[in-house]
Structures are given as C-alpha cells and as structure tokens.
Amino acid sequence: MMTNDDISGIASQTDDYCFHSHTQFCDGRATMAEMAEAALNAGMKHYGFTPHAPITVESSCNMGRDSVSYYLAECNRLKELYAGKMNIYAGMEIDYLGPQCGPASEYFRALPLDFCIGSIHFVPTRQGEYVDIDGRFDNFKWKMQEFFDNDIRWVVEQYFAQTHAMIDAGGFNIIGHFDKVGHNASHFRQGIEEEAWFGTLVDEVIDHIAASGIIAEVNTKALADHHRTFPGQRLWHKVKKAGIPLIVNSDAHYPDLINAGRAETLSLLKNID
C-alpha cells in the first residue's frame, strides 16, 4: 500500500493526477477502461480508481463484495496496458459505518489496494439505523423528515462525530470531502455553515485531521454546478495553516469530467499562504 508521503510526493511534483473516481463498479457512468482512456487524454500521469466499497447496509451506490475480485483484476489489466504512459492505482472510497464497517476493518486491510479514501456518506438515526445523507437535496429533504424528524443539527453533529471516529480508527490515506454535509444542510437551513456551533465542529475536525497525518482532498465535483468545493474555499487557508497535506480530486463519475474544476482549484490553492 502507498504511504501518505508517496501520494503527497506525487502531488508536489505534478498537477497531472487524480486519486478519486468512480466507474461501473459503483455509481459511475462509464467503464474503467473508458475512464482510464479519458484520464490519459487529459494528460494524467497518475490516476486512481476509487469505487464505493462494499458496506453492511443496502446501497445502490456501493459495489458488492462479489465484484471486488473483478475490479482488482481490471485494475491489474489496465496497469499493464498503460505502463510507461500513466501510473494506475487500485483504490477504494470506504464508508465508515461504525466499528463494524470502515477503512480499518480487517476485510479492507486484507485487500491488495494501493490506497484508500475514507469518507462519510451515512449517519445513524437516533435508533442506530445508518442512512445515506449524500446526493440530491430533494432526496436529503425527504430523509430529513422520514428518518431524522427534521433535526438538522443532529445530522450535522453525527456527520462530524462519524468523521472523528473514522480518523481515530485509521486505515486510510485520504479523507474525502470532509465538510460535504454543509452543502445539503445549507439548502435545508440557509446560513447554517456560518452558525458558530457549525464552525466549531469544522474547526475540531480540521485539528483532528492535522494531528492524524492523513491527507485531505479538495473535491471539485460540485464546482461547476454548485460553485463550491469540499472543503469550501473559505476553509482552505485554515486547512493549509494547520499543515494538512492537500490533493485536488475531481471525484469524476463521467469520462468528460475527469479533470473538471481541478485546474482552477489548483491555481487558487497555490496563491494561498
């Protein structure tokens, strides 16, 4: 498995990389071969696949365990095919759903992965049922009523509590879109990200990431449609000041978005002290 220094070293040497993408093995909209070709055509020198890993609850976005061997075999095939042109890495974006399921789980540690992203997409209800709070706002709004009694503070607090627990458990190189809950939360209650308690939760997570030595991604997936990154631009200075290594990932689900938002974001980041 790659070390965090390996990944940070790549990012310090070139902007032609991406360590977050999705394909037909989860909720991506193209094959691994199509995504790899798009990455090469975009000038990538380092490209990582990160399907949403198998989890212990029902999810249409996550791959099943029965697909893992096929995924790894395709990674190996593409590594050989692109050898000398582009370095390809077998990764996974692994959800944290409590101690029973997360990047540190024995199952994932045993897989021959090159790197892992740890991400929060699911938070527990008061009854302990894990619910996916990612995705479109109309679906989020329905889940808020159906599962959380419209208690947005509970959802936000649980999101960040899960983040802390995942960092403590370890087992991953990169933390994915660590403030993404703010996007749907802001649609649900305008201005929530400017509320003091929300800011405190974000600051505590930034401090925890810095202390852990893991890498944080700046995720550009929502830049074109929603004019924001994860973490949001207002947090970049704070993250850099904390000494957290940063990489810029497109989180692409389509070949034509393989590099979307990255050049603009990389340029802006370089101008931050």
Side-chain angles (χ1 to χ4, degrees), residues 1 11 41 61 68 79 82 84 89 113 174 179 191 223 227 244:
M1 192 168 182
N41 291 339
C61 294
V68 171
K79 285 181 180 183
Y82 285 92
Y89 306 93
L113 298 173
I174 303 162
D179 69 339
L223 189 58
H227 312 293
I244 297 170

Side-chain angles (χ1 to χ4, degrees), residues 20 22 27 50-53 55 57 59 61-62 92-97 117-124 130-135 140 143 148 155 158-159 162-163 166 175-178 180-181 184 217 219 221 251 253:
H20 193 162
H22 299 279
D27 60 347
T50 53
H52 291 291
I55 53 175
V57 299
S59 171
C61 294
N62 293 69
M92 282 188 179
E93 183 177 15
I94 306 174
D95 288 285
Y96 181 82
L97 281 77
I117 297 176
S119 294
I120 303 299
H121 299 97
F122 295 76
V123 302
Y130 276 87
V131 175
D132 186 354
I133 60 161
D134 202 44
F140 177 85
K143 289 177 179 178
F148 299 106
V155 170
Q158 290 303 306
Y159 180 92
Q162 293 291 107
T163 300
M166 181 176 71
I175 189 163
H177 45 64
F178 70 78
K180 195 176 183 184
V181 69
N184 276 332
E217 72 167 7
N219 187 304
K221 180 183 176 183
D251 192 0
H253 289 59

Side-chain angles (χ1 to χ4, degrees), residues 16 36 39-41 43-47 78-88:
D16 298 323
L40 184 69
N41 291 339
M44 295 284 181
K45 295 181 176 66
H46 301 271
Y47 178 65
L78 292 170
K79 285 181 180 183
E80 293 181 7
L81 181 65
Y82 285 92
K85 301 177 183 178
M86 177 175 67
N87 293 313
I88 287 180

